[in-house]
Amino acid sequence: MYADRDVTAQLNARGDVAVVVPAAGAGVRLGPGAPKALRLLDGEPLLVHAVRRLAAAPSVRMIVVAAPPADVDAVHALLAPVAPVTVVPGGAERQESVAAALAVVPDEVAIVLVHDAARCLTPPSVVERVAAAVRSGADAVIPVLPVVDTIKEVAADDTVLGTVDRSVLRAVQTPQGFRASVLRAAHRAAADLHTDDAGAVEKLGRPVLCVPGSDLALKITRPIDLALATHLLALPDPDA
């Protein structure tokens, strides 16, 4: 399903999708150590796992990684055996990293996806599903999962105010997909820092479409997530 660890993937020169990967964050909730995207999962950095799966998606023409400024050369050397990837210096905030990567995406690439390296097991089928929805006319697309836990609204003193109707709630994953012109406009118009590019598009008044995500696309944030991801590595893409 994915390229062998010792084989460099070849991106589709006729693809219409560029994937931007902001990977300059420290990831303090994982504890002290390397930048989050460079933490190891089964002996390889999260970023390597993520890029390998992105490169396996047939629509992807270009992958741009925004790395910690001091690690640009090292990240490029790390990823070169995995896939042909462009690496640029990221910023102090996620929004700055996305903007830096977006700046090197050619104007002729019509679809841009923004993907978190921390969701490094996201299968290629989700990448294709998001891209297909943008290709079909959506301005912005997010992969989602239904919320399965009971959700309570709680006051500042921890008193329960009520139970939220979870049937209208969704947990959002990445990659988030956009018409390139819409994503650029959202970044130009952003008045404050944001952690969700689809949220910036919402502020433009543009609709955001949901498509099914994947249980494999969990976000690795805490040490327990790394342990869970180790077990998920062995699972096949259910959509393959």
Side-chain angles (χ1 to χ4, degrees), residues 1-24:
M1 179 169 54
Y2 313 119
D4 184 86
R5 286 190 177 194
D6 298 323
V7 176
T8 302
Q10 298 302 311
L11 303 183
N12 182 6
R14 296 184 178 181
D16 59 354
V17 174
V19 186
V20 165
V21 184

PDB file of all heavy atoms in Angstrom, residues 1-24:
ATOM      1  N   MET A   1       0.827  -1.207   0.000  1.00  0.00           N
ATOM      2  CA  MET A   1       0.000   0.000   0.000  1.00  0.00           C
ATOM      3  C   MET A   1       0.858   1.253   0.000  1.00  0.00           C
ATOM      4  O   MET A   1       0.556   2.237  -0.660  1.00  0.00           O
ATOM      5  CB  MET A   1      -0.919  -0.013   1.217  1.00  0.00           C
ATOM      6  CG  MET A   1      -1.813   1.212   1.354  1.00  0.00           C
ATOM      7  SD  MET A   1      -3.072   0.992   2.609  1.00  0.00           S
ATOM      8  CE  MET A   1      -2.098   0.528   4.037  1.00  0.00           C
ATOM      9  N   TYR A   2       1.933   1.250   0.781  1.00  0.00           N
ATOM     10  CA  TYR A   2       2.838   2.385   0.826  1.00  0.00           C
ATOM     11  C   TYR A   2       4.179   1.956   0.255  1.00  0.00           C
ATOM     12  O   TYR A   2       4.487   0.772   0.168  1.00  0.00           O
ATOM     13  CB  TYR A   2       3.027   2.878   2.266  1.00  0.00           C
ATOM     14  CG  TYR A   2       1.746   3.029   3.024  1.00  0.00           C
ATOM     15  CD1 TYR A   2       1.506   2.284   4.179  1.00  0.00           C
ATOM     16  CD2 TYR A   2       0.763   3.888   2.580  1.00  0.00           C
ATOM     17  CE1 TYR A   2       0.320   2.406   4.872  1.00  0.00           C
ATOM     18  CE2 TYR A   2      -0.427   4.014   3.271  1.00  0.00           C
ATOM     19  CZ  TYR A   2      -0.644   3.268   4.414  1.00  0.00           C
ATOM     20  OH  TYR A   2      -1.814   3.392   5.091  1.00  0.00           O
ATOM     21  N   ALA A   3       4.997   2.943  -0.110  1.00  0.00           N
ATOM     22  CA  ALA A   3       6.327   2.621  -0.614  1.00  0.00           C
ATOM     23  C   ALA A   3       7.124   1.897   0.470  1.00  0.00           C
ATOM     24  O   ALA A   3       6.989   2.167   1.659  1.00  0.00           O
ATOM     25  CB  ALA A   3       7.058   3.894  -1.015  1.00  0.00           C
ATOM     26  N   ASP A   4       7.960   0.968   0.050  1.00  0.00           N
ATOM     27  CA  ASP A   4       8.855   0.287   0.975  1.00  0.00           C
ATOM     28  C   ASP A   4       9.760   1.314   1.640  1.00  0.00           C
ATOM     29  O   ASP A   4      10.079   2.358   1.072  1.00  0.00           O
ATOM     30  CB  ASP A   4       9.691  -0.754   0.214  1.00  0.00           C
ATOM     31  CG  ASP A   4      10.563  -1.570   1.136  1.00  0.00           C
ATOM     32  OD1 ASP A   4      10.100  -2.576   1.674  1.00  0.00           O
ATOM     33  OD2 ASP A   4      11.734  -1.171   1.306  1.00  0.00           O
ATOM     34  N   ARG A   5      10.195   1.000   2.864  1.00  0.00           N
ATOM     35  CA  ARG A   5      11.048   1.941   3.603  1.00  0.00           C
ATOM     36  C   ARG A   5      12.317   2.280   2.834  1.00  0.00           C
ATOM     37  O   ARG A   5      12.899   3.343   3.033  1.00  0.00           O
ATOM     38  CB  ARG A   5      11.420   1.347   4.967  1.00  0.00           C
ATOM     39  CG  ARG A   5      10.273   1.353   5.970  1.00  0.00           C
ATOM     40  CD  ARG A   5      10.769   0.998   7.345  1.00  0.00           C
ATOM     41  NE  ARG A   5       9.687   1.075   8.322  1.00  0.00           N
ATOM     42  CZ  ARG A   5       9.873   1.077   9.624  1.00  0.00           C
ATOM     43  NH1 ARG A   5      11.104   1.000  10.123  1.00  0.00           N
ATOM     44  NH2 ARG A   5       8.858   1.158  10.474  1.00  0.00           N
ATOM     45  N   ASP A   6      12.777   1.378   1.997  1.00  0.00           N
ATOM     46  CA  ASP A   6      14.032   1.593   1.277  1.00  0.00           C
ATOM     47  C   ASP A   6      13.826   2.063  -0.156  1.00  0.00           C
ATOM     48  O   ASP A   6      14.760   2.102  -0.947  1.00  0.00           O
ATOM     49  CB  ASP A   6      14.857   0.294   1.276  1.00  0.00           C
ATOM     50  CG  ASP A   6      15.232  -0.149   2.681  1.00  0.00           C
ATOM     51  OD1 ASP A   6      15.521   0.730   3.517  1.00  0.00           O
ATOM     52  OD2 ASP A   6      15.208  -1.358   2.951  1.00  0.00           O
ATOM     53  N   VAL A   7      12.581   2.415  -0.515  1.00  0.00           N
ATOM     54  CA  VAL A   7      12.275   2.828  -1.880  1.00  0.00           C
ATOM     55  C   VAL A   7      11.742   4.259  -1.866  1.00  0.00           C
ATOM     56  O   VAL A   7      10.842   4.590  -1.099  1.00  0.00           O
ATOM     57  CB  VAL A   7      11.236   1.897  -2.529  1.00  0.00           C
ATOM     58  CG1 VAL A   7      10.856   2.400  -3.909  1.00  0.00           C
ATOM     59  CG2 VAL A   7      11.775   0.473  -2.605  1.00  0.00           C
ATOM     60  N   THR A   8      12.304   5.128  -2.707  1.00  0.00           N
ATOM     61  CA  THR A   8      11.819   6.496  -2.821  1.00  0.00           C
ATOM     62  C   THR A   8      10.569   6.539  -3.692  1.00  0.00           C
ATOM     63  O   THR A   8      10.585   6.065  -4.830  1.00  0.00           O
ATOM     64  CB  THR A   8      12.891   7.413  -3.439  1.00  0.00           C
ATOM     65  OG1 THR A   8      14.068   7.356  -2.633  1.00  0.00           O
ATOM     66  CG2 THR A   8      12.395   8.846  -3.512  1.00  0.00           C
ATOM     67  N   ALA A   9       9.480   7.081  -3.157  1.00  0.00           N
ATOM     68  CA  ALA A   9       8.237   7.186  -3.918  1.00  0.00           C
ATOM     69  C   ALA A   9       8.375   8.253  -4.992  1.00  0.00           C
ATOM     70  O   ALA A   9       9.099   9.237  -4.829  1.00  0.00           O
ATOM     71  CB  ALA A   9       7.080   7.527  -2.989  1.00  0.00           C
ATOM     72  N   GLN A  10       7.684   8.056  -6.097  1.00  0.00           N
ATOM     73  CA  GLN A  10       7.641   9.037  -7.169  1.00  0.00           C
ATOM     74  C   GLN A  10       6.271   9.707  -7.178  1.00  0.00           C
ATOM     75  O   GLN A  10       5.251   9.023  -7.289  1.00  0.00           O
ATOM     76  CB  GLN A  10       7.919   8.359  -8.513  1.00  0.00           C
ATOM     77  CG  GLN A  10       9.302   7.730  -8.612  1.00  0.00           C
ATOM     78  CD  GLN A  10      10.418   8.728  -8.384  1.00  0.00           C
ATOM     79  OE1 GLN A  10      10.433   9.807  -8.975  1.00  0.00           O
ATOM     80  NE2 GLN A  10      11.355   8.375  -7.512  1.00  0.00           N
ATOM     81  N   LEU A  11       6.245  11.027  -7.035  1.00  0.00           N
ATOM     82  CA  LEU A  11       4.977  11.742  -7.070  1.00  0.00           C
ATOM     83  C   LEU A  11       4.453  11.822  -8.493  1.00  0.00           C
ATOM     84  O   LEU A  11       5.193  11.660  -9.465  1.00  0.00           O
ATOM     85  CB  LEU A  11       5.160  13.142  -6.484  1.00  0.00           C
ATOM     86  CG  LEU A  11       5.697  13.203  -5.054  1.00  0.00           C
ATOM     87  CD1 LEU A  11       5.755  14.646  -4.579  1.00  0.00           C
ATOM     88  CD2 LEU A  11       4.867  12.352  -4.111  1.00  0.00           C
ATOM     89  N   ASN A  12       3.150  12.065  -8.603  1.00  0.00           N
ATOM     90  CA  ASN A  12       2.491  12.117  -9.905  1.00  0.00           C
ATOM     91  C   ASN A  12       2.672  13.497 -10.533  1.00  0.00           C
ATOM     92  O   ASN A  12       2.057  14.470 -10.094  1.00  0.00           O
ATOM     93  CB  ASN A  12       1.005  11.800  -9.735  1.00  0.00           C
ATOM     94  CG  ASN A  12       0.261  11.791 -11.049  1.00  0.00           C
ATOM     95  OD1 ASN A  12       0.856  11.917 -12.126  1.00  0.00           O
ATOM     96  ND2 ASN A  12      -1.051  11.641 -10.975  1.00  0.00           N
ATOM     97  N   ALA A  13       3.499  13.587 -11.566  1.00  0.00           N
ATOM     98  CA  ALA A  13       3.771  14.876 -12.215  1.00  0.00           C
ATOM     99  C   ALA A  13       2.509  15.478 -12.838  1.00  0.00           C
ATOM    100  O   ALA A  13       2.452  16.684 -13.092  1.00  0.00           O
ATOM    101  CB  ALA A  13       4.856  14.706 -13.283  1.00  0.00           C
ATOM    102  N   ARG A  14       1.505  14.641 -13.090  1.00  0.00           N
ATOM    103  CA  ARG A  14       0.246  15.125 -13.653  1.00  0.00           C
ATOM    104  C   ARG A  14      -0.820  15.347 -12.581  1.00  0.00           C
ATOM    105  O   ARG A  14      -1.965  15.666 -12.905  1.00  0.00           O
ATOM    106  CB  ARG A  14      -0.271  14.128 -14.686  1.00  0.00           C
ATOM    107  CG  ARG A  14       0.656  13.974 -15.897  1.00  0.00           C
ATOM    108  CD  ARG A  14       0.053  13.046 -16.930  1.00  0.00           C
ATOM    109  NE  ARG A  14       0.906  12.918 -18.111  1.00  0.00           N
ATOM    110  CZ  ARG A  14       0.607  12.183 -19.179  1.00  0.00           C
ATOM    111  NH1 ARG A  14      -0.530  11.494 -19.208  1.00  0.00           N
ATOM    112  NH2 ARG A  14       1.431  12.128 -20.199  1.00  0.00           N
ATOM    113  N   GLY A  15      -0.440  15.182 -11.328  1.00  0.00           N
ATOM    114  CA  GLY A  15      -1.403  15.406 -10.258  1.00  0.00           C
ATOM    115  C   GLY A  15      -1.793  16.870 -10.133  1.00  0.00           C
ATOM    116  O   GLY A  15      -1.091  17.763 -10.623  1.00  0.00           O
ATOM    117  N   ASP A  16      -2.915  17.121  -9.480  1.00  0.00           N
ATOM    118  CA  ASP A  16      -3.404  18.502  -9.336  1.00  0.00           C
ATOM    119  C   ASP A  16      -3.443  18.944  -7.882  1.00  0.00           C
ATOM    120  O   ASP A  16      -4.104  19.923  -7.539  1.00  0.00           O
ATOM    121  CB  ASP A  16      -4.799  18.643  -9.961  1.00  0.00           C
ATOM    122  CG  ASP A  16      -5.839  17.706  -9.342  1.00  0.00           C
ATOM    123  OD1 ASP A  16      -5.459  16.861  -8.503  1.00  0.00           O
ATOM    124  OD2 ASP A  16      -7.028  17.815  -9.707  1.00  0.00           O
ATOM    125  N   VAL A  17      -2.712  18.228  -7.014  1.00  0.00           N
ATOM    126  CA  VAL A  17      -2.767  18.494  -5.575  1.00  0.00           C
ATOM    127  C   VAL A  17      -1.377  18.771  -5.020  1.00  0.00           C
ATOM    128  O   VAL A  17      -0.429  18.025  -5.274  1.00  0.00           O
ATOM    129  CB  VAL A  17      -3.383  17.293  -4.821  1.00  0.00           C
ATOM    130  CG1 VAL A  17      -3.298  17.501  -3.311  1.00  0.00           C
ATOM    131  CG2 VAL A  17      -4.834  17.075  -5.246  1.00  0.00           C
ATOM    132  N   ALA A  18      -1.268  19.850  -4.240  1.00  0.00           N
ATOM    133  CA  ALA A  18      -0.082  20.102  -3.421  1.00  0.00           C
ATOM    134  C   ALA A  18      -0.489  19.925  -1.969  1.00  0.00           C
ATOM    135  O   ALA A  18      -1.568  20.352  -1.556  1.00  0.00           O
ATOM    136  CB  ALA A  18       0.452  21.512  -3.646  1.00  0.00           C
ATOM    137  N   VAL A  19       0.368  19.266  -1.196  1.00  0.00           N
ATOM    138  CA  VAL A  19       0.096  19.085   0.229  1.00  0.00           C
ATOM    139  C   VAL A  19       1.111  19.880   1.035  1.00  0.00           C
ATOM    140  O   VAL A  19       2.324  19.733   0.851  1.00  0.00           O
ATOM    141  CB  VAL A  19       0.155  17.609   0.641  1.00  0.00           C
ATOM    142  CG1 VAL A  19      -0.276  17.468   2.100  1.00  0.00           C
ATOM    143  CG2 VAL A  19      -0.725  16.740  -0.250  1.00  0.00           C
ATOM    144  N   VAL A  20       0.611  20.739   1.896  1.00  0.00           N
ATOM    145  CA  VAL A  20       1.422  21.560   2.783  1.00  0.00           C
ATOM    146  C   VAL A  20       1.431  20.902   4.163  1.00  0.00           C
ATOM    147  O   VAL A  20       0.365  20.576   4.705  1.00  0.00           O
ATOM    148  CB  VAL A  20       0.838  22.986   2.858  1.00  0.00           C
ATOM    149  CG1 VAL A  20       1.420  23.756   4.027  1.00  0.00           C
ATOM    150  CG2 VAL A  20       1.071  23.723   1.542  1.00  0.00           C
ATOM    151  N   VAL A  21       2.621  20.700   4.719  1.00  0.00           N
ATOM    152  CA  VAL A  21       2.748  20.048   6.030  1.00  0.00           C
ATOM    153  C   VAL A  21       3.488  20.977   6.990  1.00  0.00           C
ATOM    154  O   VAL A  21       4.714  21.099   6.922  1.00  0.00           O
ATOM    155  CB  VAL A  21       3.501  18.707   5.922  1.00  0.00           C
ATOM    156  CG1 VAL A  21       3.524  18.004   7.284  1.00  0.00           C
ATOM    157  CG2 VAL A  21       2.883  17.802   4.867  1.00  0.00           C
ATOM    158  N   PRO A  22       2.781  21.689   7.882  1.00  0.00           N
ATOM    159  CA  PRO A  22       3.465  22.501   8.887  1.00  0.00           C
ATOM    160  C   PRO A  22       4.078  21.590   9.942  1.00  0.00           C
ATOM    161  O   PRO A  22       3.355  20.872  10.646  1.00  0.00           O
ATOM    162  CB  PRO A  22       2.347  23.374   9.464  1.00  0.00           C
ATOM    163  CG  PRO A  22       1.091  22.596   9.221  1.00  0.00           C
ATOM    164  CD  PRO A  22       1.318  21.775   7.979  1.00  0.00           C
ATOM    165  N   ALA A  23       5.397  21.586  10.057  1.00  0.00           N
ATOM    166  CA  ALA A  23       6.071  20.631  10.945  1.00  0.00           C
ATOM    167  C   ALA A  23       7.152  21.306  11.777  1.00  0.00           C
ATOM    168  O   ALA A  23       8.196  20.724  12.040  1.00  0.00           O
ATOM    169  CB  ALA A  23       6.673  19.498  10.114  1.00  0.00           C
ATOM    170  N   ALA A  24       6.904  22.551  12.171  1.00  0.00           N
ATOM    171  CA  ALA A  24       7.914  23.298  12.922  1.00  0.00           C
ATOM    172  C   ALA A  24       7.602  23.384  14.412  1.00  0.00           C
ATOM    173  O   ALA A  24       8.372  23.956  15.178  1.00  0.00           O
ATOM    174  CB  ALA A  24       8.049  24.714  12.359  1.00  0.00           C
TER     175      ALA A  24
END
